[in-house]
Amino acid sequence: MHENRETSGTSRSNQDRDRSEKAISRTAGRQVPEESDRAVVPVNLPNKEEQSSAEAEEERARAKENIAQSNTHPTQSGKGVSQKLGGVRQAAKERKQEQFTALLHHLKVDLLRDSFYALKRQAAPGVDGVTWKEYENGLEGRLADLHSRVHRGAYRAQPSRRVYIPKADGRQRPLGIAALEDKIVQQAVVTILNQIYEVDFQGFSYGFRPGRSPHRALDALYVGLVRSKVNWVLDADIRSFFDRMSHEWTMRFVQHRVADNRILRLLQKWLKAGVLEEGQRKETEVGTPQGAVISPLLANVYLHYVFDLWVEAWRKKVARGQVVAVR
């Protein structure tokens, strides 16, 4: 723990104690440094202050998870990375105030293949009408062609197919189903960018991240509640966040760390691809489709700069008491 904390005077059951001890007793691993591209062009980013105990526990667990994931296949959430990308992560860790100018060359056929097999087999097709099983027929030739188009700049993002699912309050949530090749390339880019952002992101950020889940967030919340004298709990939500994200600010935030114009053009293509609804293509000036592989990462980058870093600065310089955040 980075500071003295008051502990609640109420007694806890053995079950509660076991749960608390389990949540804070995970051990840390150590990463093996590898060579990678040199990062250039310094930019000013605030330093992270030391985490609270709940968040420090998550940092230790994350370090251990990074080692365990290094030899596994990626999943749709980005969990697991090729060991060849370890150098990017190491460079991001050592040079936290610099940009990466050369990243696209990591997008190789092997990574595209891993990304394809990370996708859900039974997912509904996008506007291309191509299913996972159909694409697997002649896969190597398809991936070689896709790889060539991406690196030649001939790859074109297709609009997402708009569908709606009911919400608990009776409203409908819009989802965007991307074309299969868009999913593959997005997954590959997410895998590359995760090497940078998993170093940068705060310990209290849990949404759509490798090795994290709502259960991990609840563990951190539980530790904060039972190890601190809590006066207030504030629960907040952002209305229609994915639908209203600013494209301009999203790209500005990404450019704090990414200066590879080819990667940036891919992100812009996906943001501007539009949606197809009832046979009509609609332009997208704001927002990123819920359901797209790239959207959760862009959302986390956005919230990292507009919320997470602000919370760090606010609770360090303004707050009178201790603040535990779980996002």
Side-chain angles (χ1 to χ4, degrees):
M1 295 185 292
H2 77 289
E3 61 184 348
N4 292 332
R5 305 168 60 125
E6 293 182 287
T7 306
S8 172
T10 58
S11 61
R12 291 180 291 158
S13 67
N14 291 334
Q15 182 179 4
D16 289 343
R17 187 176 297 106
D18 291 343
R19 178 179 175 87
S20 176
E21 291 172 354
K22 180 180 179 182
I24 64 176
S25 64
R26 300 186 180 98
T27 58
R30 181 173 300 174
Q31 297 188 22
V32 180
E34 301 178 34
E35 294 184 1
S36 182
D37 311 296
R38 291 195 61 82
V40 297
V41 191
V43 295
N44 294 325
L45 287 177
N47 294 324
K48 285 193 290 186
E49 74 164 342
E50 202 167 357
Q51 307 273 332
S52 70
S53 64
E55 294 146 16
E57 175 271 321
E58 285 300 328
E59 290 294 334
R60 293 193 295 271
R62 181 175 66 182
K64 182 177 180 180
E65 288 158 1
N66 290 340
I67 302 301
Q69 294 166 9
S70 63
N71 294 315
T72 60
H73 289 287
T75 67
Q76 195 162 11
S77 64
K79 181 180 179 181
V81 296
S82 170
Q83 202 168 27
K84 298 177 182 178
L85 292 174
V88 178
R89 181 183 291 263
Q90 189 65 27
K93 184 177 180 180
E94 294 173 353
R95 300 188 287 275
K96 292 188 176 182
Q97 297 185 357
E98 298 175 355
Q99 295 170 306
F100 286 79
T101 59
L103 289 171
L104 190 67
H105 71 277
H106 290 292
L107 197 154
K108 301 178 180 179
V109 173
D110 288 345
L111 180 56
L112 291 175
R113 185 185 305 107
D114 287 345
S115 300
F116 170 75
Y117 282 109
L119 301 177
K120 295 180 179 179
R121 271 66 163 171
Q122 305 301 324
V127 297
D128 58 347
V130 179
T131 65
W132 187 94
K133 192 65 177 178
E134 291 170 343
Y135 199 87
E136 190 182 27
N137 184 25
L139 178 64
E140 293 306 315
R142 295 176 185 269
L143 293 180
D145 176 66
L146 178 59
H147 175 268
S148 175
R149 282 184 281 127
V150 170
H151 285 269
R152 287 187 289 110
Y155 162 79
R156 297 289 181 267
Q158 300 188 61
S160 297
R161 184 167 66 87
R162 174 64 58 82
V163 297
Y164 293 89
I165 59 174
K167 299 177 66 174
D169 59 5
R171 295 181 298 167
Q172 289 188 316
R173 182 188 303 277
L175 294 181
I177 302 177
L180 188 61
E181 285 195 336
D182 291 336
K183 292 179 182 179
I184 296 171
V185 181
Q186 287 181 21
Q187 177 62 63
V189 170
V190 166
T191 302
I192 295 170
L193 295 184
N194 268 346
Q195 309 313 301
I196 300 171
Y197 289 113
E198 282 303 301
V199 171
D200 290 357
F201 287 160
Q202 300 293 318
F204 57 78
S205 166
Y206 291 90
F208 306 104
R209 291 181 58 189
R212 297 196 164 214
S213 67
H215 294 291
R216 300 295 298 278
L218 288 172
D219 280 346
L221 179 61
Y222 180 86
V223 173
L225 290 172
V226 302
R227 306 281 284 203
S228 306
K229 182 179 180 181
V230 178
N231 294 322
W232 295 92
V233 176
L234 174 64
D235 178 26
D237 188 21
I238 304 175
R239 181 185 301 135
S240 302
F241 171 63
F242 279 87
D243 300 331
R244 301 184 182 185
M245 278 175 53
S246 164
H247 291 176
E248 178 185 359
W249 281 104
T250 298
M251 295 306 300
R252 286 191 188 187
F253 295 145
V254 170
Q255 289 175 54
H256 275 293
R257 287 294 252 164
V258 179
D260 186 331
N261 288 327
R262 298 172 299 174
I263 293 289
L264 296 175
R265 281 194 294 268
L266 285 175
L267 297 179
Q268 289 174 326
K269 285 179 180 180
W270 293 324
L271 287 173
K272 299 296 185 182
V275 297
L276 193 68
E277 186 173 1
E278 297 181 350
Q280 298 294 321
R281 184 181 183 276
K282 299 180 180 180
E283 300 289 336
T284 47
E285 299 299 328
V286 295
T288 181
Q290 294 190 59
V293 178
I294 195 67
S295 295
L297 176 62
L298 294 180
N300 273 330
V301 171
Y302 197 100
L303 289 174
H304 174 73
Y305 287 103
V306 304
F307 180 76
D308 297 353
L309 294 181
W310 170 77
V311 167
E312 282 292 275
W314 183 82
R315 68 180 179 182
K316 181 178 181 181
K317 300 177 181 179
V318 180
R320 295 182 181 182
Q322 184 187 9
V323 177
V324 174
V326 179
R327 179 173 73 72

